[in-house]
Amino acid sequence: MRERPFVAELVKNVTVPRMFRVRQIFPRNKIEPEEIPGIIKKLLSEEKFSSQIKPGMKIAITAGSRGIANNALTTKCIADFIKSKGAQPFVVPAMGSHGGSTAAGQREILRGYGITEEYLQCPILSSMEVKKIGVNEEGKDVYIDKYAAESDGIVIGCRIKPHTAFRGPYESGIMKMMAIGLGKQYGAEVCHEAGFKHMAKNVPLFGKAIIRHAPVLFAVPTIENAYDETCKIVAVNADEIEEMEPALLKEAASYMARILVDSCDVLIVDEIGKNYSGDGMDPNITGTFCSPYATGGIAAQRVVVLDLSKETHGNGIGLGFSSATTKRVFDKLDLASMYPNAITCTVLGGVRIPIIMESDREAIQVCIKSCNEIDKTRPRVVRIPNSLHLEHIMLSEDYLEEIKGMETIEIESEPMDLPFDEDGMLW
């Protein structure tokens, strides 16, 4: 990159504004981790659930690729209940094409969330092999994970929340976990090939077929509050999923965090990763949607991504919807992990490479410099740690008067210069 010194010269005099810390205040109903075993045991002890589990049955429990609060614990509690009934639980990764579309990659994603055989005390059977179980209402073949298809029963473990690319009565949740998660790479590709325009139809179309043709017993979905904490756990019988999930989705949407200012010139995202969102950074927060079939989030002229999370294992999907990034991010990218995900979902924009700058400071400066119709001596900048943890964020000095007196934002510091080291990296 011979041009790098010249590019740095272009932005060296751009003002990075002073910023101050704020605490965003959201409703905080939560379930403590120590309460979860008792809640799940009580839910599943209800006759309509417990009566379905017979001694000796081999029962698959799904586990996905998202960073879900208490994910390992809830999975273990489901497994423990199944064992208490004399059945034999095992976990299957239900994550479509994630993990580079390999069995080892998907097992490694689960390990990163603490979902291991040692912790669960039951097997994890990871395979990309699928088995046809029937056809849907339109006559299309329906395939799911081979181990799940051949089990005596399937329990859907998942989280319910708004999707990042489409709107409908079933978004990220039980139906999607069945249609795309259990469908592995094949199921994900079939659902995505028609594009996100038709996803609201295809997810329940395939999900209902799986309920009809596979041994699905029930689901144990969780809902999270704005602080990435479990706030609700429910059990939903297979024959109740179609009717009950839409109301649970609306409830989940009402709890979602957001950035409590509506717009900015530049949004700084410290980290992106699959543990924060399937899109790396949740566009419901950042406004970086990959399709026109969903809207929301902050309105930002430019978005800068400074780093990848360790848990994403080099999968920088979503980076393509930023304006600039750092050499540090570029060096961490695992294209073999990113590309199968993008090709399968038919959205290639998320894996494009934005402008790459050597340092955090330069990446921020290039975004400020390239904004249009703003006061570049007082740019409006928002900084978030990631798209999942939004309690403590930073705002540039220009927001100070605007937010004073807001009951939902608490000012935590005076405006200060961002702490760049001599190499222009934030610490």
Side-chain angles (χ1 to χ4, degrees), residues 222-244:
T222 65
I223 294 175
E224 294 176 4
N225 63 23
Y227 298 90
D228 185 34
E229 299 164 335
T230 306
C231 68
K232 187 167 187 174
I233 305 173
V234 294
V236 183
N237 209 40
D239 60 2
E240 300 173 322
I241 293 171
E242 183 177 358
E243 180 182 354
M244 289 182 64

Side-chain angles (χ1 to χ4, degrees), residues 85-394:
K85 300 293 291 183
Q88 301 170 37
F90 64 93
V91 167
V92 294
M95 54 185 77
S97 63
H98 298 171
S101 286
T102 69
Q106 296 200 345
R107 180 184 284 268
E108 185 58 29
I109 287 174
L110 294 188
R111 175 173 288 280
Y113 297 137
I115 301 175
T116 65
E117 292 183 343
E118 294 77 16
Y119 174 70
L120 300 174
Q121 292 298 292
C122 75
I124 296 175
L125 304 182
S126 183
S127 170
M128 297 307 294
E129 190 174 352
V130 291
K131 183 174 182 178
K132 181 180 174 181
I133 58 168
V135 297
N136 65 25
E137 293 172 359
E138 294 184 348
K140 293 182 180 178
D141 291 341
V142 179
Y143 289 78
I144 65 169
D145 176 274
K146 177 179 182 290
Y147 290 118
E150 294 176 352
S151 71
D152 299 311
I154 302 170
V155 176
I156 308 298
C158 64
R159 173 184 60 192
I160 295 176
K161 69 185 292 285
H163 197 271
T164 59
F166 73 94
R167 294 289 178 256
Y170 310 94
E171 295 182 21
S172 289
I174 307 168
M175 285 286 193
K176 180 173 175 282
M177 179 62 99
M178 292 186 293
I180 294 177
L182 269 178
K184 312 299 279 196
Q185 197 278 335
Y186 174 88
E189 184 172 346
V190 168
C191 279
H192 282 96
E193 67 179 356
F196 283 111
K197 180 179 180 180
H198 301 286
M199 192 66 76
K201 180 195 80 169
N202 283 332
V203 163
L205 182 68
F206 281 86
K208 286 188 286 185
I210 291 168
I211 293 171
R212 189 164 58 249
H213 296 297
V216 178
L217 304 179
F218 49 84
V220 186
T222 65
I223 294 175
E224 294 176 4
N225 63 23
Y227 298 90
D228 185 34
E229 299 164 335
T230 306
C231 68
K232 187 167 187 174
I233 305 173
V234 294
V236 183
N237 209 40
D239 60 2
E240 300 173 322
I241 293 171
E242 183 177 358
E243 180 182 354
M244 289 182 64
E245 185 171 357
L248 292 169
L249 173 61
K250 288 181 180 178
E251 184 175 357
S254 73
Y255 298 147
M256 275 196 73
R258 66 184 183 90
I259 299 169
L260 294 176
V261 295
D262 294 331
S263 65
C264 64
D265 301 324
V266 175
L267 174 64
I268 302 170
V269 184
D270 286 356
E271 279 191 349
I272 67 170
K274 298 292 284 187
N275 53 313
Y276 301 129
S277 169
D279 287 45
M281 50 183 168
D282 189 338
N284 292 301
I285 306 300
T286 61
T288 51
F289 289 93
C290 69
S291 84
Y293 307 109
T295 58
I298 192 169
Q301 270 205 52
R302 300 286 184 263
V303 178
V304 56
V305 170
L306 302 183
D307 208 346
L308 300 185
S309 68
K310 184 177 96 173
E311 294 85 353
T312 203
H313 302 287
N315 189 336
I317 198 163
L319 183 64
F321 298 113
S322 67
S323 315
T325 191
T326 63
K327 182 69 162 44
R328 175 178 60 231
V329 169
F330 181 75
D331 289 341
K332 290 181 180 180
L333 293 177
D334 179 0
L335 303 186
S337 176
M338 293 166 64
Y339 289 174
N341 197 175
I343 293 167
T344 299
C345 76
T346 73
V347 178
L348 304 186
V351 295
R352 292 186 179 129
I353 306 300
I355 287 178
I356 302 164
M357 302 300 286
E358 288 288 347
S359 70
D360 295 339
R361 180 168 52 208
E362 289 174 2
I364 295 167
Q365 286 174 313
V366 79
C367 285
I368 295 171
K369 184 176 179 65
S370 62
C371 281
N372 302 124
E373 299 183 301
I374 72 167
D375 181 351
K376 292 183 181 176
T377 66
R378 294 180 65 85
R380 291 166 64 85
V381 178
V382 176
R383 181 185 178 192
I384 63 175
N386 54 69
S387 64
L388 194 59
H389 303 107
L390 296 173
E391 180 179 8
H392 300 281
I393 67 172
M394 298 190 78

Side-chain angles (χ1 to χ4, degrees), residues 39-53 81 85 218 234-237 240 244:
I39 290 171
I40 290 179
K41 183 177 180 180
K42 182 178 180 180
L43 286 170
L44 299 188
S45 294
E46 191 176 336
E47 177 68 16
K48 67 179 176 182
F49 303 117
S50 64
S51 63
Q52 298 183 65
I53 304 172
F81 184 83
K85 300 293 291 183
F218 49 84
V234 294
V236 183
N237 209 40
E240 300 173 322
M244 289 182 64

